[in-house]
Structure formats: C-alpha cells, structure tokens
Amino acid sequence: MTPPPVLSPPLRVSIQGYAGAFHEAAARAHFQDREVITVPGHTFAEVIEQVESGESDTALMAIENTLAGSLMTNYDLLQRSDLRITAEVYLRIRQNLMALPGVAIDELREVYSHPIALMQVREFFHAWPKIKLVESADTALSALHVRQSEDRSRGAVAHSLAAELYELDILAEGIETNRLNHTRFLVLRKGRDTDQDSGDKVSLSFSVSHAAGSLSRVLMVLDAYKINLTKIQSTPIIGRPWQYRFYVDFMLNGTVSVTEALAGIRPITQELRVLGIYTAGQKP
Ligand SMILES: O=C(O)C(=O)C[C@]1(C(=O)O)C=C[C@@H](O)C=C1
C-alpha cells in the first residue's frame, strides 16, 4: 500500500497590509505552489516581530521602488532584526484611483494611500489641486476605509483587486508617474545563519573607517573579483553623526565564492554582516 502523501501545513506569510495590498499580491506571486495564509501587519516593524516571535514563518517586505526609491526605514529594520533574506520578488505596480460607485473625480477632496504609493502618483494629482493626499497604513486599508466611510468626497489609490474586494469604482487606472513602476520585495526568515543558504545573489551590510578612500577600497576589491554590484545604499548610523552604514547587493559570477569575496573585504570593513544569500528574482 502506498503511504498517504505528507501534506505540508500552510505557510504563514507576514505582509504589511491587508487583503488587496501589493504585499499580498507579491506573496501570492512568490509562493504560487504553496498553500499560503497571509498574516497582516499594520507596520513593517510589526511584520518583522511576527517572524521573530514565530507567529509567522516568513515575511515579505518592500525594500525599493523604481519611482519612489529605497524604503530607508526598512533597511534599518532589517539591520536591527534577527532575520535574513532568503529570496527577492519583483512586482509591477499599477496604481488606480477609486471611490464609491457613481462618484466623479471632481467630487473628491481627500485621497488616501500608503506613503510610497502616493509618491508614485503625485504627478497625476497636479491636475486636481482641490484633492488633498492623505497618508495611511496601506493601500487596501485605504480602499476599505472609503467603503466604510460612505463618504463621496473620499478616494483611495490602490491595486485593482482592492476596488473589487471593497466594491469601489475605478475612476482612473494606471495613474503612476511612469509605467516602469516596479517594487522589489525581500522574503525574510528567522535566523542570521546563512551557512545552508545558496544562490547567485548576496546582500551585505558594513561600515568603513572614517578615512579617505575606505569605501572605494572595498569596491575595488569587488571589482577585482569581477563581481557585479546591483545596488549600493547608505544609511546614517544612529548615534554616530555623519557616519554611514553601507548596504551592498551583488551577483556572484561563478568564479569567486561568497567566502572568498568576504575574505577579501573583511579586513577593510567593520561590522560586516551577510544579510542573505539567495536566488536573484525574475524582473518583470
Ligand atoms: O500598501 C500596499 O499595498 C503595500 O503593499 C505597500 C507598498 C510599499 O511599501 O511600497 C508596496 C508596493 C508599492 O510600492 C506601494 C506600497
């Protein structure tokens, strides 16, 4: 007799936001072949805590957007957390203006959305100076609030799925400033130990001494190894004014291992930390 298949329990994925948010779309796209339960978090800090405490197995966290730039506070959260990056997800972000059924754009006075979403659509609203843009926790929650308020002067900017879920009309679709609007999300799991992880992409953080040329020396070593840097970001180190932490993402080229690359830069960096070794995500 063949034994019954072992069913794996659904994966609990923490996301910033609620049903219909872009984080949910990214989670569903990434874990397509797994049964997923999304665990909503109000803030990115809450999302990190949920994984650290074991309330969820993994989290998705937006880290950069092609129009709005880096989510600087998320770099800090990642640095202070015990989590590591195990994958990345790229998602095309299409923003839509929505309101209660039958409402016309010129009736709107306040439009709610996530701050990063609002940064992506600011130009569209230049033509509507009577509309005040109001930041809220999440795009989907903004849509839900419009529905619950029953207020015809309120609108939301969100995914078309949110309009469907909360029965709103889309007044204008694809209102992002540029169509090449993509967000990169990190998949995070508990534990800093990356020893069992493998992949072609590496994310590191480090600081350097406050001496001339110290960052360029690090970059020169990576260049000598023919390592292709995909991103470098600096953030201020809190409590050490005018000193910076650097976050570097790079692709391994098959000739140099992570261990070799780390050995090359360890002597010329401080507080070097591997944030993750993972397979590079598919860009849309
Ligand atoms: O509010 C949402 O729907 C989110 O998932 C948040 C978020 C973000 O944090 O950048 C996700 C992707 C888009 O760039 C806009 C907003």
Side-chain angles (χ1 to χ4, degrees):
M1 217 170 79
T2 44
V6 183
L7 294 175
S8 45
L11 191 73
R12 298 162 305 164
V13 184
S14 279
I15 55 162
Q16 198 260 310
Y18 294 79
F22 288 100
H23 273 80
E24 199 199 31
R28 305 247 171 243
H30 183 66
F31 296 109
Q32 275 175 25
D33 38 350
R34 286 259 347 229
E35 197 190 334
V36 160
I37 299 177
T38 49
V39 182
H42 217 67
T43 60
F44 287 113
E46 214 178 288
V47 162
I48 299 261
E49 276 163 28
Q50 286 168 348
V51 186
E52 282 179 336
S53 71
E55 194 184 324
S56 63
D57 305 302
T58 183
L60 252 91
M61 182 173 85
I63 196 73
E64 55 177 320
N65 170 266
T66 51
L67 305 192
S70 292
L71 280 82
M72 301 296 278
T73 47
N74 288 0
Y75 274 97
D76 260 0
L77 283 172
L78 182 60
Q79 177 67 24
R80 282 191 273 125
S81 83
D82 248 347
L83 308 186
R84 72 187 199 284
I85 307 166
T86 57
E88 61 175 2
V89 185
Y90 292 88
L91 192 74
R92 160 80 163 97
I93 307 290
R94 197 168 159 78
Q95 300 288 8
N96 306 281
L97 173 62
M98 53 196 73
L100 291 169
V103 168
I105 294 193
D106 56 12
E107 288 178 71
L108 295 177
R109 290 297 170 268
E110 284 185 346
V111 166
Y112 293 78
S113 200
H114 186 278
I116 299 291
L118 290 178
M119 283 167 84
Q120 296 162 10
V121 300
R122 246 172 235 289
E123 272 189 22
F124 172 85
F125 287 98
H126 287 167
W128 302 97
K130 286 191 183 148
I131 297 179
K132 190 175 145 207
L133 298 178
V134 186
E135 292 186 0
S136 71
D138 159 42
T139 56
L141 207 56
S142 307
L144 174 64
H145 281 162
V146 171
R147 161 55 58 203
Q148 287 174 339
S149 72
E150 299 288 339
D151 186 338
R152 295 177 60 88
S153 71
R154 291 188 182 176
V157 169
H159 196 301
S160 56
L161 202 62
E164 241 173 73
L165 284 173
Y166 306 118
E167 296 173 346
L168 299 176
D169 273 3
I170 294 185
L171 307 187
E173 52 185 6
I175 61 167
E176 56 275 8
T177 302
N178 188 291
R179 281 176 55 244
L180 296 177
N181 187 23
H182 300 150
T183 296
R184 175 177 170 235
F185 299 83
L186 302 178
V187 180
L188 304 171
R189 277 186 192 259
K190 210 170 167 172
R192 283 187 177 195
D193 191 0
T194 51
D195 281 1
Q196 305 109 26
D197 293 342
S198 61
D200 54 357
K201 193 161 181 183
V202 181
S203 295
L204 304 176
S205 68
F206 58 84
S207 59
V208 288
S209 66
H210 211 357
S214 49
L215 175 64
S216 74
R217 270 195 294 280
V218 177
L219 300 182
M220 271 157 54
V221 169
L222 295 177
D223 182 44
Y225 283 142
K226 302 261 177 295
I227 277 175
N228 181 13
L229 235 63
T230 56
K231 171 138 204 232
I232 180 160
Q233 178 69 57
S234 66
T235 64
I237 302 180
I238 294 164
R240 281 151 55 186
W242 318 122
Q243 291 188 38
Y244 302 91
R245 191 176 310 282
F246 296 96
Y247 294 85
V248 162
D249 296 331
F250 60 82
M251 298 295 299
L252 289 169
N253 55 16
T255 52
V256 176
S257 68
V258 187
T259 319
E260 284 166 323
L262 292 178
I265 62 171
R266 185 164 281 118
I268 47 174
T269 55
Q270 293 158 7
E271 304 165 289
L272 178 64
R273 182 178 161 199
V274 180
L275 297 169
I277 304 168
Y278 49 96
T279 304
Q282 287 288 324
K283 295 200 178 103

